[in-house]
Amino acid sequence: MEKLVIVGTGCAGLTAAVYAARGGLNPIVLEGRQPGGQLSTTTLVENFPGFPEGIDGPELIMRMKSQAENFGARFRYAELTGFEPKAGYLSLQLDDEETLDTRTLIVASGAAARWLGLPNETKLIGHGLTSCATCDGAFYRNVPVCVVGGGDSAAEEALFLTRFASKVYLVHRRDALRASKIMTARVLEHPKIEPIWNTRVAEYLTGEDGEMRAVRLESLATGAESELAVRCVFVAIGHEPNTKPFAGKLPVDTEGYLLKTRGTATAVPGVFAAGDVSDHVYRQAIWAAGDGCAAALDAERYLTEHAEEPGGELAPIPQELVAA
Ligand code: NAP
């Protein structure tokens, strides 16, 4: 029986791992499909306190991971596929067919990029369609590209892409960005970026080689259609929380984010949530780190309060959540 399993290796999961390992909980940290979370696909992080010159996202993550390992956190490449609350413990199913039993769980599985839902979208990923400028921007030198979205991610991607692309179109469904003022100003002032307002991407158009060659645009103001030649489309329209293994077992809010009851505790005793999987308000690396710290402290307190003593009472689990 493990004391603590942490799901996710973004800012929240790794900070929880540092605190929990240092606190002697000997946690197992599950690294899923995107180790390092969203910071692993970010360039310069300028607003994480303590790094006045900024720090690359992957480097920040790597440092957090080695800090957790120094305190004894164990890392395992496995994805959580199922979760059953039992009486007094939690049973976790992993994609390698193994089961892991644990007294407490910190869910820090983050959020994944959203897509437009157009035909052929899945097939085109990697062939001129991506959600990560940092990963793929350098492949598109001296050619036109477009970014879809109007938030900070879209602004950041567009600015980053100006290093490579000959032209960056920013296609947004409204006539104003929701990005922060400073990012909006940088985007609007950049000579290589051309915003296309009140417009949606209606279709991806490919060449004979199967690679992106253009998009069909539809004006949401007039309904007029046009074709825009671009070699890559960078979709930056937000994220969805990674809560699949917990469907029907952990309560979520109207947008699908895990609900917390008190501090980082969820409705199931012993289960805590931290970072973007439970937050669509702040969504910042430093906030996720703080939340991961809180979850580790909450898990530690829970274990102290519910120590397994012979004949001792285990935490009650809501009956509707107990697996048959
Ligand atoms: P976001 O703020 O939710 O913005 C998503 C954008 O995509 C919005 O402009 C939205 O349009 C548009 N959109 C959503 N669904 C769409 C669809 N189906 N078709 C077309 N457009 C669609 O997401 P985000 O930009 O990923 O940012 C998430 C959070 O992280 C924010 O709090 C942001 O401040 C933060 N962040 C910060 C930084 C930084 O500080 N350096 C960098 C990146 C992200 P509407 O505007 O019409 O809703």
Side-chain angles (χ1 to χ4, degrees):
M1 175 77 64
E2 298 295 335
K3 281 186 190 150
L4 170 64
V5 173
I6 298 168
V7 182
T9 50
C11 259
L14 290 176
T15 307
V18 168
Y19 272 77
R22 190 166 180 270
L25 300 187
N26 194 24
I28 290 195
V29 190
L30 300 182
E31 306 204 52
R33 246 179 282 160
Q34 194 185 354
Q38 291 173 60
L39 273 194
S40 64
T41 58
T42 307
T43 39
L44 198 62
V45 180
E46 288 178 317
N47 49 11
F48 201 94
F51 299 95
E53 316 301 335
I55 180 166
D56 275 339
E59 190 186 346
L60 182 58
I61 283 296
M62 203 192 65
R63 287 186 186 209
M64 287 186 192
K65 185 176 176 187
S66 44
Q67 197 172 354
E69 281 172 329
N70 289 347
F71 288 119
R74 294 167 291 159
F75 285 81
R76 182 161 163 181
Y77 287 100
E79 199 167 322
L80 185 74
T81 53
F83 155 85
E84 298 291 346
K86 306 273 190 188
Y89 70 99
L90 309 152
S91 176
L92 310 179
Q93 284 88 55
L94 308 184
D95 61 350
D96 56 14
E97 312 269 298
E98 269 196 52
T99 301
L100 206 53
D101 291 339
T102 179
R103 298 289 322 284
T104 60
L105 173 70
I106 293 176
V107 183
S109 45
R114 241 188 233 140
W115 296 93
L116 294 174
L118 296 175
N120 288 334
E121 194 156 55
T122 316
K123 270 201 256 164
L124 275 171
I125 293 170
H127 298 278
L129 180 66
T130 174
S131 66
C132 177
T134 318
C135 319
D136 300 319
F139 298 130
Y140 298 94
R141 287 174 194 270
N142 304 317
V143 291
V145 300
C146 82
V147 174
V148 183
D152 276 317
S153 297
E156 198 174 76
E157 305 256 296
L159 288 163
F160 179 74
L161 289 167
T162 59
R163 298 187 201 178
F164 312 104
S166 56
K167 177 96 187 171
V168 180
Y169 298 98
L170 182 61
V171 179
H172 184 35
R173 63 184 180 183
R174 292 188 298 120
D175 62 356
L177 301 181
R178 72 163 61 236
S180 56
K181 271 190 191 157
I182 183 168
M183 295 295 273
T184 299
R186 283 180 195 168
V187 163
L188 298 183
E189 282 161 13
H190 202 291
K192 262 193 186 180
I193 300 178
E194 181 178 328
I196 302 180
W197 305 115
N198 298 312
T199 298
R200 77 175 187 105
V201 171
E203 190 182 355
Y204 301 125
L205 303 170
T206 51
E208 281 175 10
D209 56 2
E211 299 288 320
M212 189 78 69
R213 69 167 178 83
V215 285
R216 187 164 59 81
L217 298 180
E218 183 191 318
S219 163
L220 295 168
T222 64
E225 293 193 352
S226 58
E227 201 174 298
L228 181 71
V230 287
R231 296 304 304 277
C232 192
V233 179
F234 294 82
V235 177
I237 60 168
H239 293 83
E240 303 230 358
N242 295 321
T243 55
K244 207 169 155 201
F246 310 102
K249 296 184 178 139
L250 291 181
V252 293
D253 67 13
T254 49
E255 299 195 45
Y257 289 79
L258 291 187
L259 268 182
K260 295 171 182 172
T261 51
R262 192 165 57 93
T264 62
T266 69
V268 175
V271 182
F272 305 87
D276 284 12
V277 74
S278 58
D279 163 54
H280 51 83
V281 178
Y282 302 109
R283 294 191 277 202
Q284 299 299 305
I286 187 65
W287 187 89
D291 208 30
C293 156
L297 297 178
D298 288 343
E300 194 177 349
R301 193 169 305 123
Y302 175 90
L303 284 166
T304 308
E305 287 171 3
H306 300 92
E308 275 174 303
E309 294 161 10
E313 284 292 305
L314 290 172
I317 290 182
Q319 274 312 299
E320 68 275 16
L321 295 171
V322 176

